[in-house]
Amino acid sequence: MKNINSHLKAIAQSYDRAIELGRNGINSYNNLPEYLKKDPDYINFQTARENGLDSDSGRIEIKAFLSPAVNAKFVDLGCCLNLMFNGYDQWPSTYYGVDISTETIKLLREFSEKKRLRVGKLHCGSIHETPFEDNYFDIGACIGVLEYYEKAFVREVLIEIHRILKPYSKFVLDIPDNAGKMHHFMNLVETSMGRPDKFDMSIEEFEEILFDFFEIEKKEKIDAVSMVQYFLKRKA
């Protein structure tokens, strides 16, 4: 992928701005440009948000599949604020978060200290190069992240995920369904915030790469946001 460093920087800055706005009580998704509010798919987008379907990080299916346990180490790649808003702070496993946004990691550290949470590490950096040892994690997730990247970088991310997971461990990730009804609108939303969707593969093309590293236990389409969620087992 060309200009990956500048693209990573743009994503980090976008999420930094979102955190800064959030600290001032402003939700970016509540303040979309007028041209998006006039889009025919805006009503569907709002309905999904009202019903809690706009984010798939907090789905009960994730926790049920990963089965977090007291002695398990859980890595949340591209973690955003899952620890705060999607119930991950209630999991018995030890939480490790990785995010490219410095403001996100700063806020998570404040939250974990205030709540006195047992956190393994909160690391600011790209998910294709993490500071963890080989075969370190028991379970993990990467939700709402891969849509920002092209094929070559996505493969690098999958290689890194495979490296830091234990053999046969469980992992959940998602990708955009480029043929989905809401994909175009969701991309417009993200582009308006400075982080356009760069994902350049069909589901079939992505799965060709995925099979090198993981077995698919199941997959589910999240039609409200045109995403496909994969429930995986790491190959040895």
Side-chain angles (χ1 to χ4, degrees):
M1 179 176 171
K2 296 179 180 179
N3 302 318
I4 185 60
N5 289 332
S6 61
H7 184 59
L8 290 171
K9 183 178 180 180
I11 294 171
Q13 291 174 337
S14 174
Y15 277 103
D16 283 348
R17 286 193 299 271
I19 295 296
E20 291 167 2
L21 289 171
R23 286 182 183 275
N24 292 305
I26 301 172
N27 186 317
S28 301
Y29 292 103
N30 291 336
N31 292 273
L32 296 178
E34 284 302 314
Y35 71 88
L36 289 179
K37 293 180 180 180
K38 295 177 181 178
D39 191 288
D41 283 324
Y42 178 72
I43 294 176
N44 293 329
F45 173 75
Q46 283 295 87
T47 301
R49 293 191 67 225
E50 291 168 2
N51 291 309
L53 300 175
D54 58 317
S55 171
D56 50 0
S57 296
R59 298 181 72 223
I60 59 174
E61 290 85 352
I62 295 176
K63 184 177 181 181
F65 177 75
L66 294 179
S67 301
V70 172
N71 295 321
K73 293 190 289 290
F74 166 61
V75 64
D76 188 9
L77 298 173
C79 59
C80 198
L81 299 180
N82 292 328
L83 188 66
M84 295 175 61
F85 297 123
N86 285 312
Y88 291 23
D89 59 322
Q90 302 297 314
W91 288 19
S93 50
T94 302
Y95 184 87
Y96 292 75
V98 178
D99 202 276
I100 200 167
S101 162
T102 55
E103 291 299 320
T104 293
I105 294 300
K106 181 180 177 181
L107 183 56
L108 290 180
R109 285 173 178 158
E110 293 173 4
F111 175 78
S112 60
E113 289 172 7
K114 182 178 180 180
K115 297 291 184 179
R116 298 183 179 180
L117 299 178
R118 182 171 62 96
V119 172
K121 186 178 183 66
L122 297 170
H123 173 72
C124 183
S126 174
I127 61 173
H128 81 297
E129 293 178 340
T130 70
F132 307 113
E133 299 174 5
D134 294 356
N135 307 323
Y136 191 71
F137 292 103
D138 301 281
I139 53 176
C142 180
I143 305 296
V145 181
L146 296 183
E147 59 261 38
Y148 299 128
Y149 306 112
E150 295 174 356
K151 183 176 182 177
F153 191 81
V154 169
R155 183 175 177 84
E156 287 189 41
V157 172
L158 292 176
I159 290 171
E160 180 68 358
I161 294 171
H162 184 271
R163 182 187 71 79
I164 63 177
L165 287 177
K166 294 179 181 179
Y168 310 112
S169 56
K170 293 181 177 181
F171 196 85
V172 180
L173 60 76
D174 66 354
I175 62 167
D177 177 5
N178 289 345
K181 182 180 182 300
M182 289 296 292
H183 174 259
H184 178 67
F185 183 79
M186 297 305 299
N187 188 24
L188 290 176
V189 170
E190 294 298 297
T191 299
S192 75
M193 297 181 185
R195 46 181 192 257
D197 184 340
K198 297 286 188 178
F199 197 81
D200 57 353
M201 288 178 280
S202 66
I203 291 173
E204 293 75 20
E205 288 173 312
F206 173 72
E207 290 180 0
E208 273 191 43
I209 301 174
L210 191 64
F211 287 145
D212 289 339
F213 310 101
F214 296 94
E215 295 178 11
I216 299 175
E217 299 278 298
K218 65 174 179 175
K219 68 178 181 181
E220 298 178 358
K221 285 193 174 184
I222 315 297
D223 291 329
V225 287
S226 290
M227 300 292 286
V228 182
Q229 198 163 91
Y230 289 86
F231 299 80
L232 309 169
K233 183 170 68 175
R234 179 205 189 268
K235 290 184 177 179

